[in-house]
Amino acid sequence: MESGQKKRNHHWWPVGLQSYWADRAGDVSWITPDGKIDKKRFVNRRIGFKIHGHTIFRGTAWESNFEDEFDIDNEVHNIINALLRMKPFGRTPREFFALIKMLVKKDRSLRDMCKFYHLDDGLHRDLLLLIHSLLIRSPRNRSRYEGYPRSFGRPPDEEVGKANMVQYYRIAKKLCQNGLISNQYFVLMHSPLKKFIFGDGSLDWLTSGLLANRVNGRALLPLTPQLCVYFCTPISMRSTPNCASLSVAPWMVDWVNDITQIYSRDKLFYLGRPPEINDAFRQRQFLEHKAKGDALIEMLDEIAGMKKNRSFSHLRMHH
């Protein structure tokens, strides 16, 4: 029965990633916009999936399934373990004292509080593909892809959504595995105290560029309750380093979690105490920033060496 279920239950959130969000009993918890809390065992593979979500033209001679194309899911633990080895600044006694001194400096920047690394080619490409795969198959983007017929005055269509999803993902896979990976920067946010949340949508100013056959933009994606990754594509940068790692203060975790609530609609996954729901999530809609900008994103861009180029208003939304 499990094999039949596996063929039908197509995950938009890999079970390997879910394992990091499980409590000691093996349960993953989530909260809905009306404040209702639920949980399930992640090993039962009944979380973060859609039945036949990756099957096109089901029940016809043209039926095909693209679930197996998300084989990057098999690399989840290797990717997370490699990222966790890139420890943030302040983890050695010497760095810790340097950090304490820096905290009293008025003109310090977040960049001063980072430790820098270089992701080798394999890890860089795997992480890039994992980010794209999570964004493209998320319920948020599925909803967007299904809504394309609206521009022709037609109702949303599930088959159109799946066709768009697989088209975007195949372009992403080709670019991530074989394309140029210069001018790409990752910021790893480690939170030892406060926990990140994960939703059915994320800040994705990245995947829309795929149709122009390029990886260009920004994305913010919590991978585990203690690790969130920010990705951006600076216009110019040195070839190394291509990754910064830092411990983030609780206010930054709150800010990331507020952004997650804007981009999510039905579920927020969490470990430990449930998050306080904000007004954006209560609306039960996939919202987004009005302009592609946010003061937190600006700060993360500066870590990547990008200069401020415009003023952003914080957390403005539209439908």
Side-chain angles (χ1 to χ4, degrees), residues 104-252:
V104 297
K105 270 174 58 183
K106 282 198 167 58
D107 59 345
R108 73 178 188 273
S109 71
L110 278 179
R111 199 174 160 81
D112 294 331
M113 303 170 78
C114 294
K115 197 161 179 175
F116 297 92
Y117 294 91
H118 189 82
L119 269 63
D120 65 41
D121 193 86
L123 178 59
H124 184 136
R125 292 182 186 279
D126 281 353
L127 177 56
L128 190 62
L129 183 56
L130 180 64
I131 289 169
H132 276 86
S133 81
L134 290 168
L135 295 173
I136 290 167
R137 60 185 149 162
S138 69
R140 178 187 178 85
N141 270 332
R142 181 187 290 274
S143 169
R144 191 165 68 87
Y145 302 147
E146 288 176 356
Y148 282 175
R150 281 201 190 104
S151 52
F152 309 107
R154 309 202 34 103
D157 186 296
E158 207 172 289
E159 289 300 318
V160 170
K162 291 175 189 176
N164 278 306
M165 184 188 290
V166 72
Q167 181 192 8
Y168 272 90
Y169 186 63
R170 282 173 181 162
I171 296 169
K173 201 166 186 181
K174 204 167 88 187
L175 289 171
C176 293
Q177 291 180 335
N178 306 306
L180 289 172
I181 53 172
S182 55
N183 292 44
Q184 297 179 357
Y185 205 95
F186 300 90
V187 179
L188 306 178
M189 289 177 270
H190 300 263
S191 177
L193 303 170
K194 193 143 195 165
K195 294 183 175 70
F196 294 107
I197 60 174
F198 178 71
D200 54 2
S202 300
L203 186 149
D204 171 13
W205 302 342
L206 179 66
T207 59
S208 55
L210 289 169
L211 289 185
N213 219 33
R214 59 194 187 145
V215 172
N216 182 43
R218 299 167 171 84
L220 182 69
L221 202 59
L223 294 178
T224 79
Q226 279 87 27
L227 178 67
C228 178
V229 64
Y230 175 68
F231 172 79
C232 61
T233 51
I235 293 166
S236 65
M237 61 176 267
R238 295 196 175 115
S239 59
T240 185
N242 58 9
C243 176
S245 179
L246 79 159
S247 283
V248 290
W251 64 266
M252 280 184 81

